[in-house]
Amino acid sequence: MSDGGLNVTLRPQTARVLKRLAANPGQLVTKNDLLNSVWTDTHVTDDSLVQCISEIRRALGPSNSKLLVTVPKHGYKLMASPGHNFEAEVKSGLSARQNQKRLRNAFFVATAAVVLLVAGTILYLRPLDTTLDGPVTLAVLPFANLSENTGQEYLSVGLAEDLLTDLSHNNELTVLSRSATFSYRQFDDAAEKIREELGASHIIDGSVQRDRERIRISVQLVDTSTGATVWAERFDREIGELFDLQDDLRERILGELLAEFGLNEAYAARPADVRAYEMLLQGRYFEASLTHSGVVEAIELYKRAIDIDPSYGDAYARLANMYDFMSRYGWSASAEGDRALALEMAERATRLDPENPFAHWSLARILSRVDGSNESAARAINHLEHAITLEPDYPDAYAFLALLKIGNGEYDASRNSIEKAFGLNQKPPSWYIRNRGIISYFEGNYDAAIVDFTMSAEMNPTAHFSRIWLAAALARAGQTEDAEWELEEALALGAPDTVDAILRSNELIRDPSLRSEYSEGLRAAGVPD
């Protein structure tokens, strides 16, 4: 199978587990069934099966790993259509693009509003609030890449992302988040779906075509209530005039929609050279894969952007996050060295571009984990609050601030912050949901915590963070067998294996009583000291 363009070879046992699951699409396959059918003549422990499940999820990749669902105390489900030949796909090593296309056709995806079967109990997930304020609610779709070179997709996606960011700085305009809208690109009736599901009054759709040093962008503004095109225009420019083109595009859209409102120009400073910006767009494209290879590629591209323009604050902020990823996920030769580089790059970003909210968010994120001290945590909170001052509707800042606040034992402030984040991001990522679960855990609402940790784990099954928290919450709720199951999965995914090691990896939880509460949940789940 392929993940982010890299072929993944499965071990024979793992391929047999996958074959068994694929032969029963959407059906529960019990642990005993898998153990007996795959290891017919050999006795193995449950750990062998868990390792195979983890390997299959890594092979499916970040976008599709959630389709392999764990049903605690019972077994697993592969949410695929009948007749899909996974075994052939494993052997052929399809490219990422081919694999994703086939998966889209073969799978049906469970959304965050579905009912989860957990430990035999139906847990109804809390619906997201899609009530939107303001005279205009705007959704931006990723632009279609019409260039002959498919490698130019970073440009079409990046331009749409930056248009979304620029438009969101107008306080009279509600702009839906990237995570809420970009997945609608695949639908022919995107305008109708976005209106019904997200409440958008207008969408921006377009395409990008590049031919060497010339670029053509076609854009249309659509009224979702009627499907009518309010405005459409085509821009033909030299690639060196890209910034002027972006300014024209933003002002034309705002001019059509909001003639009575003023423009807000408080967006991140641009580099002196458009080539640096192009390197940044390419880096963001690779960064989004959340794979080791993607992060390594992004680092090199951000470095090239800085070589072209040493004063490019946004590139330093992006580079800081990549070094932090390398350190946190065990991808670096020296975790301590990469952590120091991350801090250095993030601090430089805020000095070079002090009005850039993302730079302050990046620095806060790194400071919060650098040494676990109260001083670093206080600095992190200050930078997050400054990011919110610069951009009052910055959902990521509120979501991360919520975690820092609960770490200090500030229950009300933490709950208010996470609710603000969910109100601003209509399709929150898994880490928002995990943070909300952590707050519920420390509030003693273990049932709500279990719902959120389960949802977060299913959204990002290859990460162990949510499963460790889920194990602790299940144990505190008296569901010890389920907790042991989740702990097995977390350990197979590389989670720390002692209470002390887990606490060291959660330095954000600083309040002694909360650390004690978390420790008790871990011990009850079976984690040794």
Side-chain angles (χ1 to χ4, degrees):
M1 276 192 168
S2 171
D3 182 305
L6 295 178
N7 292 328
V8 178
T9 302
L10 300 183
R11 294 176 299 131
Q13 299 95 324
T14 304
R16 287 196 288 271
V17 171
L18 176 59
K19 183 177 181 180
R20 183 69 176 173
L21 292 167
N24 299 276
Q27 302 298 312
L28 172 69
V29 182
T30 67
K31 179 192 291 186
N32 287 338
D33 183 316
L34 289 167
L35 289 171
N36 292 334
S37 61
V38 174
W39 291 274
T40 53
D41 301 319
T42 307
H43 175 72
V44 296
T45 65
D46 292 351
D47 287 348
S48 299
L49 175 58
V50 172
Q51 290 283 1
C52 291
I53 294 296
S54 175
E55 189 174 324
I56 292 169
R57 284 183 172 135
R58 286 196 296 273
L60 288 173
S63 299
N64 297 303
S65 57
K66 61 189 174 188
L67 298 167
L68 178 51
V69 177
T70 298
V71 183
K73 292 177 64 177
H74 298 289
Y76 303 92
K77 290 182 182 180
L78 185 63
M79 310 303 282
S81 62
H84 187 69
N85 193 342
F86 280 98
E87 187 178 23
E89 242 179 49
V90 171
K91 291 179 179 177
S92 65
L94 294 171
S95 69
R97 185 177 298 275
Q98 291 171 315
N99 192 35
Q100 288 168 4
K101 183 177 179 180
R102 292 193 182 188
L103 284 167
R104 279 198 300 269
N105 292 336
F107 290 102
F108 59 86
V109 179
T111 68
V114 301
V115 180
L116 291 178
L117 182 60
V118 181
T121 302
I122 301 296
L123 298 173
Y124 293 94
L125 303 180
R126 287 173 258 176
L128 300 176
D129 180 10
T130 57
T131 302
L132 300 168
D133 297 323
V136 176
T137 301
L138 187 63
V140 180
L141 295 179
F143 293 165
N145 175 29
L146 300 185
S147 305
E148 292 183 4
N149 180 3
T150 58
Q152 292 292 317
E153 190 169 348
Y154 73 88
L155 186 61
S156 55
V157 172
L159 289 174
E161 286 180 332
D162 283 348
L163 175 61
L164 184 155
T165 300
D166 284 353
L167 292 171
S168 68
H169 287 295
N170 190 295
N171 294 329
E172 304 297 336
L173 185 66
T174 298
V175 182
L176 300 180
S177 67
R178 178 196 193 280
S179 61
T181 60
F182 269 35
S183 62
Y184 287 86
R185 169 82 272 172
Q186 61 184 305
F187 298 113
D188 293 333
D189 57 344
E192 182 179 348
K193 281 183 173 293
I194 289 176
R195 180 176 181 81
E196 291 178 354
E197 297 176 15
L198 301 179
S201 60
H202 295 77
I203 66 168
I204 295 173
D205 195 4
S207 63
V208 176
Q209 186 171 10
R210 182 175 180 178
D211 182 12
R212 298 181 182 178
E213 294 305 306
R214 290 201 64 82
I215 185 169
R216 170 178 292 176
I217 299 180
S218 298
V219 183
Q220 60 177 346
L221 178 67
V222 177
D223 184 331
T224 61
S225 64
T226 62
T229 298
V230 176
W231 164 81
E233 191 160 330
R234 187 178 70 190
F235 300 82
D236 286 282
R237 300 286 177 85
E238 297 288 336
I239 192 69
E241 300 173 331
L242 187 57
F243 294 154
D244 291 338
L245 187 155
Q246 287 178 297
D247 288 341
D248 289 348
L249 181 57
R250 182 185 67 255
E251 291 176 17
R252 285 298 307 273
I253 291 169
L254 287 172
E256 292 294 328
L257 284 174
L258 306 169
E260 68 272 31
F261 300 136
L263 284 175
N264 184 338
E265 295 293 342
Y267 48 86
R270 287 171 173 163
D273 193 317
V274 73
R275 293 176 302 158
Y277 176 66
E278 190 168 2
M279 293 298 104
L280 188 87
L281 294 186
Q282 290 186 46
R284 280 172 16 191
Y285 186 78
F286 281 101
E287 176 186 334
S289 71
L290 296 178
T291 62
H292 181 199
S293 59
V295 168
V296 169
E297 187 69 28
I299 286 174
E300 293 307 310
L301 288 160
Y302 294 147
K303 284 181 177 179
R304 288 168 64 185
I306 291 169
D307 287 341
I308 295 170
D309 184 355
S311 66
Y312 195 3
D314 217 29
Y316 283 104
R318 292 278 173 184
L319 184 58
N321 276 334
M322 295 305 94
Y323 282 129
D324 184 54
F325 283 176
M326 294 290 286
S327 173
R328 289 182 61 213
Y329 295 124
W331 294 338
S332 60
S334 170
E336 184 176 346
D338 278 347
R339 196 177 301 116
L341 278 172
L343 183 59
E344 178 186 346
M345 296 298 104
E347 289 181 329
R348 190 175 300 181
T350 57
R351 289 196 301 269
L352 290 168
D353 194 359
E355 301 303 305
N356 184 344
F358 176 74
H360 289 280
W361 182 87
S362 298
L363 179 54
R365 185 169 168 273
I366 293 161
L367 279 170
S368 68
R369 297 184 174 97
V370 69
D371 57 17
S373 69
N374 290 334
E375 179 184 358
S376 293
R379 285 187 63 200
I381 289 174
N382 288 338
H383 279 283
L384 282 176
E385 290 175 342
H386 187 59
I388 291 170
T389 299
L390 293 169
E391 187 173 327
D393 292 337
Y394 192 177
D396 285 2
Y398 285 106
F400 197 64
L401 184 61
L403 187 58
L404 290 174
K405 291 292 188 181
I406 196 63
N408 283 340
E410 300 177 49
Y411 291 87
D412 290 343
S414 179
R415 177 60 67 180
N416 290 338
S417 189
I418 199 66
E419 288 179 357
K420 180 74 172 177
F422 273 79
L424 291 169
N425 193 335
Q426 295 73 30
K427 285 195 175 179
S430 62
W431 66 275
Y432 281 40
I433 297 165
R434 182 175 66 246
N435 286 2
R436 186 172 65 181
I438 292 171
I439 296 168
S440 294
Y441 179 94
F442 288 126
E443 290 174 338
N445 189 349
Y446 301 121
D447 288 342
I450 289 168
V451 171
D452 277 342
F453 293 145
T454 300
M455 192 195 311
S456 180
E458 294 299 340
M459 289 173 70
N460 191 8
T462 58
H464 59 73
F465 312 109
S466 297
R467 293 193 184 276
I468 284 287
W469 280 101
L470 177 55
L474 286 166
R476 295 299 272 176
Q479 301 175 40
T480 53
E481 289 186 24
D482 296 346
E484 291 169 1
W485 178 292
E486 292 298 338
L487 182 60
E488 280 184 13
E489 292 249 331
L491 293 174
L493 291 168
D497 57 1
T498 67
V499 172
D500 182 61
I502 292 171
L503 288 177
R504 285 201 307 271
S505 69
N506 282 272
E507 292 176 333
L508 297 180
I509 309 302
R510 293 175 303 283
D511 183 275
S513 65
L514 298 187
R515 291 178 74 83
S516 176
E517 164 69 18
Y518 189 28
S519 299
E520 288 306 309
L522 293 169
R523 292 189 185 98
V527 182
D529 287 334

